Amino acid sequence: MKKIIIAIDGYAGCGKSTTAKGVAKALGYIFIDTGAMYRAVTYYFITHQIPIKEPSEEILNQIQLRFQKVEGQPQIFLNEMPVYQWIRTKMVNEYVSQVSALKAVRRHLVAQQQLMGQEKGIVMDGRDIGTVVFPNAELKIFMQASLEARVKRRHSELLKLNIDMTEEEIRLNLIERDYQDTHREEGPLKKANDAIVIDTSNLTIEEQIQQVLNLAYEKIRS
Ligand code: DC
């Protein structure tokens, strides 16, 4: 069967990763959460006290990222360390937009993401997947949802990870990240002209997955 690339972009907290993961599972595709890659680089910057300014090639080359399944879920490893529990903390949330605005960081990660999609059969979620990473993706989705729906979702996700952030803290962090993600020079969050908008404010995760799957089947059959 024909394999395609599915790019899912949108604001934080719209359920992009959960949807992408479900779609990938149903299609037997690879799922890549590019936010986890930017978060892992941010974690590296924080733990190695690297100043948040354009890093050298040497620094970037010290950061090895890969995804590996843990209990059936693809998780990110940084220099062979399982960091997926550490990349969702308040500290990483605070700095990730600044680190992901650095051009050298973006170029380094975009190149890795493009390699991951060479064989197609991939669902990738992020901010610039349909515009920069895979401008020729067969299916592009742009997800949006009301701020309140996104706050509620993030809050329950973080509770499951035992991360204690109030709804107000999450709200302020989302507003700040939305602003930074849409206003940076390199790879800003924006809808690709040919992306299909899905508003997830009143959808369940199952409905979100089904909507994307229906669109994917159309593309695969065409
Ligand atoms: O999807 P997320 O909230 O885990 O992403 C964390 C941050 O990473 C987000 O604030 C912006 C950045 N990001 C990015 O700049 N480009 C991507 N393709 C994915 C995420």
Side-chain angles (χ1 to χ4, degrees), residues 16 23 32 46 58 88 125 137 159 211 216:
K16 295 187 302 293
V23 170
I32 300 291
I46 295 170
E58 197 192 337
R88 316 243 164 233
D125 83 279
L159 279 182
Q211 286 202 7

Side-chain angles (χ1 to χ4, degrees), residues 9-13 16-17 33-39 42 87-88 92-93 96-101 106 110 113 124-129 133 154 173-174 177-178 180-181 184 186-187 189:
D9 290 305
Y11 296 93
K16 295 187 302 293
S17 294
D33 169 4
T34 61
M37 298 173 75
Y38 287 97
R39 286 172 178 275
T42 304
I87 61 170
R88 316 243 164 233
V92 172
N93 274 339
V96 67
S97 284
Q98 290 173 51
V99 173
S100 59
R106 297 205 74 77
V110 166
Q113 291 153 8
M124 194 174 273
D125 83 279
R127 305 291 189 285
D128 58 342
I129 312 305
V133 182
R154 265 291 137 96
N173 179 254
L174 286 181
R177 283 202 289 139
D178 285 353
Q180 296 206 28
D181 293 347
R184 65 173 170 245
E186 184 101 353
L189 167 63

Side-chain angles (χ1 to χ4, degrees), residues 12-14 145-158 165-175:
C14 293
S146 69
L147 181 62
E148 282 320 296
R150 294 158 60 209
V151 169
K152 293 258 162 353
R153 240 176 237 175
R154 265 291 137 96
H155 191 237
S156 63
E157 271 170 26
L158 291 177
M165 264 177 96
T166 63
E167 289 199 358
E168 187 54 19
E169 282 176 311
I170 296 172
R171 187 174 297 109
L172 292 175
N173 179 254
L174 286 181
I175 294 170

Side-chain angles (χ1 to χ4, degrees), residues 102-127:
L102 299 171
K103 289 183 184 162
V105 169
R106 297 205 74 77
R107 285 175 196 168
H108 189 74
L109 294 189
V110 166
Q112 292 186 15
Q113 291 153 8
Q114 287 170 333
L115 278 179
M116 291 171 180
Q118 256 178 346
E119 313 275 313
K120 302 208 174 187
I122 193 165
V123 188
M124 194 174 273
D125 83 279
R127 305 291 189 285

Side-chain angles (χ1 to χ4, degrees), residues 35-53:
M37 298 173 75
Y38 287 97
R39 286 172 178 275
V41 172
T42 304
Y43 180 79
Y44 186 89
F45 269 61
I46 295 170
T47 50
H48 290 74
Q49 296 177 339
I50 297 171
I52 303 188
K53 60 178 186 86

